[in-house]
Amino acid sequence: MKRIIPIVITIVVCVYLFVYAVMTLKGMSLSEPLGIKLFMLSIGAISIGVMFAMVIALFRRLREIKEEEEDDISKY
């Protein structure tokens, strides 16, 4: 159960950020000023960067949970 909850939360947040990034990039049109295009591209890039950070944090958390369980077993 300790491993399932971080996985589910990461999946939900990553799906939300992915949809947000796609909608931001899809909403960009060629007729918009350059400043608006750069702003929308930066929002999309930040969303994708946060997704990667979430996945890295998930793997670190899963490793931490695994080490924690091994330490608990060695106490007895």
Side-chain angles (χ1 to χ4, degrees), residues 15-65:
V15 166
Y16 173 77
L17 288 171
F18 180 75
V19 169
Y20 185 75
V22 167
M23 296 307 275
T24 301
L25 296 175
K26 189 176 180 183
M28 200 168 46
S29 67
L30 296 175
S31 62
E32 293 177 2
L34 180 63
I36 300 292
K37 287 180 189 178
L38 290 175
F39 178 73
M40 293 177 92
L41 279 173
S42 66
I43 295 294
I46 289 170
S47 297
I48 292 170
V50 171
M51 285 174 30
F52 284 122
M54 288 283 298
V55 172
I56 291 170
L58 172 67
F59 285 125
R60 288 182 180 173
R61 177 66 182 141
L62 291 176
R63 187 174 3 153
E64 182 181 301
I65 290 171

